[in-house]
Amino acid sequence: MTARIVTTEPDVDRPPAPRFAFDRHTWKEIAYLLSNLPIAVLGFVYVVTMLATGVGLAVTVIGLPVLAAGLLGARQLGKAERGRARALLGLRIEEPSPLPRSRDEGFFGRLWSGLKDPVGWRAVLYEFIRLPWGVLTFAITLTGLFVLWPVLPFIVRGLANADRAMARALLSPSDELERRIAELESDRGVVVDTAAADLRRIERDLHDGAQARLVNLAMGLGLAKEKLLEDPDAAAAMVDEAHGEVKLALQELRDLARGIHPAVLTDRGLDAALSSVASRCTVPVKVTADLPQRPAAAIEGIAYFTVSELLQNVSKHSGARSASVDVWRSADRLLIQVQDDGRGGASLDKGTGLSGLADRLGAVDGLFVVDSPEGGPTTVTAELPWRDRTPA
């Protein structure tokens, strides 16, 4: 989970209350109910033919593939029904995830995945029960247009609501599983983008920093070599300057290595690493770490970089006089809380890097909450899943 900015939108699933006068919502619902019968007939004929053919040929080689292909077709019928409900009833139902395909499964693995597809089977059930319902709604709506038209909007709304409930029950994705798949697909994209950005940053730092200094060092040493016999004093000055460049290049390489994965984190753990980060902050920081043992290396690294970036924000943007970092374990979660007494007003959409942190934590099932009213104080709470450290 990540911290998100929630905006409210009109509820498209809930049209205005029916009135005696026919409005556009009522006419759309009438069109939906009158179209139920022909579409239900087509769907019923399809699923009956598909099931009869597939089950009848199940004793042969081609029966099960025919049934699996028929279920794929039923998925398409469900997609068409969701589109019709969206256009005429204002009912928005998320599209289910496609069937997982893997080359490692082989033909029989893919066949079994198709045969046990819950989305396809629910679409088959939906088309089965639609025929009698389509006959009923068509008859009532058509009759109501001639003899019940004063109260027809109320009758139509009741029938349309039953259609909405039926579509939600049978054409919606498998709630928890589909939601989890969608989250994992989104998180995978975040992880890939973050890794690519980190690689570009490392490449840029090497090219613009240490590499440039080493090139200057090589040139300086070459000039010093040429002047060694002609002008020893100038050569000595060049060597002294090159020595300074070496020190600067080594410092930049150390900073870059610390940015990739600091040695103190590997050697001494999160407590010592966070104390090191706090010592470089421009604001006095109190660090409290209550961890009975070290978490997994990946979780430890994410926690370190989260605190590091939050303290950088404190230094650059907060105007605070003091800050604190608390890290502790609660059940199967690693909790981090960073507080400062600055001006507040921190937000995910103000370019302070908080949005990127929220995405990174969300990619590992983390939680990121920002509480920063104008005038302060600011409290940022992060949660990470606790995973025990694997012995080396």
Side-chain angles (χ1 to χ4, degrees):
M1 298 176 61
T2 59
R4 292 181 175 88
I5 299 171
V6 179
T7 57
T8 58
E9 297 180 354
D11 189 353
V12 295
D13 290 356
R14 187 175 300 169
R19 301 177 298 168
F20 287 103
F22 289 22
D23 58 12
R24 63 185 182 91
H25 296 285
T26 300
W27 284 114
K28 283 185 176 182
E29 290 172 341
I30 289 173
Y32 184 88
L33 295 173
L34 290 177
S35 63
N36 271 351
L37 180 58
I39 292 177
V41 169
L42 292 176
F44 186 82
V45 170
Y46 173 83
V47 297
V48 168
T49 303
M50 177 265 292
L51 289 176
T53 305
V55 175
L57 295 175
V59 295
T60 67
V61 177
I62 63 172
L64 295 181
V66 167
L67 190 57
L71 289 173
L72 284 176
R75 266 181 168 256
Q76 298 306 310
L77 288 177
K79 182 177 181 179
E81 288 287 1
R82 283 188 292 272
R84 187 167 71 101
R86 183 165 52 249
L88 297 177
L89 298 182
L91 177 63
R92 300 193 180 276
I93 300 176
E94 295 295 328
E95 293 293 327
S97 298
L99 280 174
R101 299 294 185 190
S102 174
R103 295 180 180 178
D104 298 334
E105 287 183 338
F107 172 76
F108 291 104
R110 292 194 296 271
L111 176 62
W112 177 242
S113 296
L115 289 174
K116 66 179 183 178
D117 177 24
V119 176
W121 284 113
R122 288 203 307 271
V124 168
L125 177 59
Y126 182 83
E127 298 298 341
F128 255 123
I129 64 178
R130 293 295 290 176
L131 183 59
W133 177 252
V135 172
L136 178 64
T137 56
F138 181 86
I140 293 176
T141 306
L142 188 61
T143 304
L145 282 173
F146 294 99
V147 299
L148 298 173
W149 60 267
V151 294
L152 185 60
F154 301 92
I155 297 174
V156 165
R157 177 56 54 82
L159 296 174
N161 284 340
D163 265 302
R164 289 184 175 95
M166 198 181 305
R168 285 193 187 99
L170 294 176
L171 298 181
S172 294
S174 303
D175 295 336
E176 185 63 25
L177 178 60
E178 294 293 338
R179 182 190 64 79
R180 185 64 182 145
I181 290 174
E183 284 184 358
L184 290 175
E185 289 177 347
S186 174
D187 292 344
R188 180 180 59 184
V190 170
V191 170
V192 171
D193 292 342
T194 300
D198 288 341
L199 287 174
R200 288 194 298 270
R201 176 182 59 81
I202 293 170
E203 180 183 10
R204 183 178 64 251
D205 290 345
L206 284 172
H207 183 272
D208 297 341
Q211 181 179 345
R213 291 194 180 280
L214 290 174
V215 170
N216 290 334
L217 173 64
M219 294 175 61
L221 289 175
L223 292 174
K225 181 180 179 181
E226 293 177 357
K227 290 182 175 293
L228 185 61
L229 297 178
E230 301 175 2
D231 190 351
D233 293 337
M238 288 181 179
V239 171
D240 187 60
E241 183 179 351
H243 184 243
E245 288 289 331
V246 169
K247 290 182 178 179
L248 290 175
L250 287 175
Q251 182 60 43
E252 289 184 356
L253 288 174
R254 288 193 193 99
D255 292 341
L256 181 61
R258 185 185 296 118
I260 298 173
H261 196 85
V264 65
L265 179 62
T266 303
D267 297 338
R268 299 174 56 192
L270 197 57
D271 189 359
L274 294 183
S275 297
S276 175
V277 171
S279 67
R280 298 194 298 271
C281 185
T282 58
V283 175
V285 180
K286 179 183 178 182
V287 178
T288 303
D290 183 14
L291 298 175
Q293 63 189 76
R294 295 179 64 177
I299 299 299
E300 196 174 57
I302 295 172
Y304 171 83
F305 288 111
T306 298
V307 173
S308 177
E309 187 153 348
L310 288 174
L311 290 181
Q312 286 184 28
N313 284 344
V314 170
S315 297
K316 295 177 182 178
H317 308 292
S318 70
R321 295 184 300 274
S322 63
S324 64
V325 176
D326 294 284
V327 183
W328 71 99
R329 179 182 179 179
S330 177
D332 60 347
R333 307 291 284 181
L334 174 65
L335 286 88
I336 303 166
Q337 193 168 79
V338 178
Q339 296 178 301
D340 69 74
D341 58 1
R343 65 177 66 95
S347 173
L348 296 180
D349 57 353
K350 291 188 177 180
T352 55
L354 297 181
S355 179
L357 283 177
D359 290 339
R360 289 193 182 197
L361 266 68
V364 292
D365 281 343
L367 176 68
F368 191 79
V369 179
V370 179
D371 179 18
S372 182
E374 291 293 339
T378 296
T379 302
V380 180
T381 304
E383 284 188 22
L384 288 165
W386 180 277
R387 291 202 290 268
D388 290 330
R389 195 176 190 87
T390 303

